[in-house]
Amino acid sequence: MNRVNVEISPAQWCEIPAIIDLLSAAMPVDGITSARFTRQVLLDPSHDADGFLVAKSGNTIAGVCVAAARNPPLDENDAQRGFITLLAVDARFRRQGIGTKLIAAAEARLAARGRSVVLVSPYGPGYFTPGIDIAAYPAAVNLFGKLGYEQASRPISMQTDLWQLKEPEFVEQTRRKLALAGVKIEPYRVELTRPILDFAQSEFGLDWFTTYHQTMQSILRGDDAGRIVAAHQDGKVLGISHHDGERFGPIGVAASARGRGLGHLLMFATLGNQKRAGLRCAWFLWSDDRTAARLYHAGGFKEIRRFVVMRKGHA
Ligand SMILES: CC(C)(COP(=O)(O)OP(=O)(O)OC[C@H]1O[C@@H](n2cnc3c(N)ncnc32)[C@H](O)[C@@H]1OP(=O)(O)O)[C@@H](O)C(=O)NCCC(=O)NCCS
């Protein structure tokens, strides 16, 4: 087959509109708008201009790839990790080796930054998707497999209809029982600022801290305090839950407080807040099958997409 000649280089700012057009056409199920791309790539605090790559045939953008790595890293393990967060080749240029070349260039850029593991594509907190959508992008699953990437996990995205929201009976019983034990479940209040942030950081890490921190800023500028819900007892936070419009989560309970039903109470508190805010559905991008069965099914959540996280290299 005749292969078109392409040059791989860092993207120029004037190419950004064409890049966004290419991405939104090539990844139609991901709603990649100009605002979303700007927030998640250009405004990324770790943005690396040399990892934002385009493949060009003459002046035409044939493909794009974003290689990202957190700077500073979250921890020692994270210091080994790099991510391919976006990859797309214009439909007119496919099956000519351009995707392969973009991935090689992204890997080289990540290696130059000392990253020995490459993951597609769970770059939190602002990932586009946790992995490759298996049904929507089978070519990408094949391509990364061919290049030596292993399937690391298969997260699911779920959605529930808030208009049909119905609390199972056991939830009210749990609520009464925990209330008697002194557990309070309530929306964000300023006194809870540091306890919630400290809890988010120590139980779940910097990503969660950042998400809750940003939402507190939005609440203090006028957003509904119910965007954050906390469970606490004797002055100690036991769990937290969050939403951003229809997007549900992250939700988490302290390892030492699991198995008491707090996850269900937090989930229903947040779903109730979303419903009261006038939203029709709630969804999230990332869970595993076990948590889906133990928690989300009770909230009416159903699987809507399945991803595969692909990984190359070891720490
Ligand atoms: C995935 C994508 C980037 C591949 O780009 P590309 O330039 O066509 O890839 P390459 O030409 O380098 O393909 C290399 C190999 O990948 C596999 N592959 C690529 N496209 C494939 C397809 N449609 N079906 C099956 N295998 C495919 C083949 O093994 C191919 O080798 P071959 O052509 O010798 O058989 C492109 O199809 C695309 O933009 N898809 C939509 C967006 C997307 O899926 N993005 C990734 C989301 S995470």
Side-chain angles (χ1 to χ4, degrees):
M1 181 208 293
N2 269 345
R3 295 203 161 204
V4 67
N5 249 341
V6 291
E7 291 291 328
I8 312 279
S9 57
Q12 306 296 309
W13 65 267
C14 52
E15 294 164 346
I16 287 172
I19 289 169
I20 294 169
D21 285 349
L22 193 165
L23 284 166
S24 65
M27 301 179 66
V29 298
D30 282 297
I32 300 187
T33 60
S34 173
R36 186 160 180 230
F37 178 85
T38 306
R39 270 200 313 273
Q40 289 177 216
V41 178
L42 304 176
L43 289 175
D44 174 9
S46 306
H47 179 70
D48 172 27
D50 291 333
F52 175 20
L53 299 163
V54 284
K56 284 202 286 189
S57 162
N59 284 329
T60 307
I61 310 275
V64 57
C65 184
V66 176
R70 281 178 280 252
N71 184 22
L74 301 174
D75 54 34
E76 259 175 45
N77 281 336
D78 198 45
Q80 317 272 311
R81 282 187 212 124
F83 300 83
I84 292 178
T85 64
L86 285 172
L87 170 72
V89 172
D90 184 315
R92 294 167 299 170
F93 290 90
R94 288 184 192 161
R95 298 307 279 266
Q96 301 186 58
I98 297 174
T100 305
K101 279 191 185 158
L102 281 165
I103 294 169
E107 288 173 350
R109 175 62 195 151
L110 292 171
R113 297 180 67 192
R115 310 299 171 127
S116 54
V117 180
V118 182
L119 291 148
V120 190
S121 49
Y123 178 64
Y127 51 80
F128 286 92
T129 55
I132 304 169
D133 183 318
I134 296 170
Y137 309 123
V141 178
N142 239 7
L143 169 55
F144 281 101
K146 188 177 176 188
L147 297 177
Y149 284 70
E150 293 161 11
Q151 304 207 357
S153 61
R154 291 185 157 235
I156 50 177
S157 167
M158 306 184 87
Q159 182 166 307
T160 186
D161 181 346
L162 292 169
W163 290 9
Q164 304 291 330
L165 187 65
K166 203 165 168 284
E167 220 180 65
E169 269 175 31
F170 76 88
V171 177
E172 182 52 27
Q173 287 159 17
T174 309
R175 190 175 286 119
R176 285 207 201 110
K177 197 169 130 206
L178 290 179
L180 282 174
V183 175
K184 289 209 163 66
I185 312 268
E186 55 179 355
Y188 170 69
R189 295 187 273 132
V190 288
E191 309 90 288
L192 290 168
T193 303
R194 288 318 313 182
I196 290 175
L197 291 178
D198 292 346
F199 175 84
Q201 166 106 52
S202 63
E203 283 285 336
F204 300 104
L206 191 59
D207 269 7
W208 284 52
F209 175 93
T210 307
T211 301
Y212 278 82
H213 189 277
Q214 284 170 356
T215 297
M216 285 176 185
Q217 305 262 24
S218 304
I219 292 172
L220 295 170
R221 289 197 194 99
D223 269 15
D224 176 19
R227 284 192 55 199
I228 294 175
V229 177
H232 57 95
Q233 183 179 25
D234 303 328
K236 206 168 154 245
V237 173
L238 302 176
I240 50 180
S241 178
H242 174 271
H243 79 93
D244 182 3
E246 289 178 347
R247 190 165 180 173
F248 175 90
I251 174 172
V253 172
S256 59
R258 292 185 192 155
R260 296 169 65 190
L262 283 163
H264 284 98
L265 297 191
L266 286 163
M267 174 178 74
F268 279 104
T270 292
L271 292 176
N273 291 343
Q274 288 180 286
K275 188 173 178 172
R276 273 187 291 282
L279 302 171
R280 180 166 193 156
C281 75
W283 57 270
F284 57 80
L285 275 174
W286 194 340
S287 176
D288 52 47
D289 289 291
R290 196 158 161 257
T291 315
R294 285 168 49 159
L295 179 65
Y296 294 121
H297 287 164
F301 280 101
K302 303 215 165 43
E303 176 176 329
I304 49 168
R305 297 175 75 182
R306 173 135 337 230
F307 304 95
V308 58
V309 175
M310 301 199 74
R311 180 185 58 212
K312 189 177 191 179
H314 292 280

